[in-house]
Amino acid sequence: MAITTYEMARVLEQLEDSPEKVMFGKLLNELGNQSGERIRSAAKQVPIHMLRDIVFQFQQVIEARKDEQVELMAKQLAEQGISAEELKAYLER
């Protein structure tokens, strides 16, 4: 029985640091380095229901990683001696 790349990706998602998951991450990273035109051209070969699921999964990761970015920024600001209140006051101007 053959397994599609998409199905393989779903299985690999269940694993933590398997070589396959690392390679899949590298593949996604390389995809991100491609032009928008090239990505759209490749996406036309994927059924719409799969594209929707891929987009949904990426949105979930983006939301989860926003907190990482906020924490990193807060730490950097604190290291520079800038408080959250000072930043808020600046942004409200």
Side-chain angles (χ1 to χ4, degrees), residues 37-66:
E37 181 179 329
R38 194 164 196 182
I39 292 170
R40 286 188 299 275
S41 176
K44 289 179 183 176
Q45 299 175 37
V46 179
I48 290 177
H49 73 278
M50 286 185 186
L51 286 174
R52 285 188 177 116
D53 189 45
I54 291 168
V55 169
F56 174 78
Q57 298 303 327
F58 280 132
Q59 287 172 333
Q60 296 297 309
V61 172
I62 289 168
E63 285 302 315
R65 295 199 59 195
K66 277 184 186 179

Side-chain angles (χ1 to χ4, degrees), residues 1-15 20 24 50:
M1 176 169 75
I3 185 168
T4 67
T5 304
Y6 184 74
E7 290 168 331
M8 177 63 81
R10 285 184 160 275
V11 169
L12 295 176
E13 181 181 87
Q14 305 301 317
L15 307 173
E20 293 87 0
F24 189 64
M50 286 185 186

Side-chain angles (χ1 to χ4, degrees), residues 73-74 76-91:
M73 291 170 61
Q76 291 171 341
L77 288 173
E79 288 171 356
Q80 296 175 23
I82 301 171
S83 71
E85 292 77 22
E86 290 171 320
L87 177 61
K88 183 178 178 183
Y90 175 79
L91 292 174

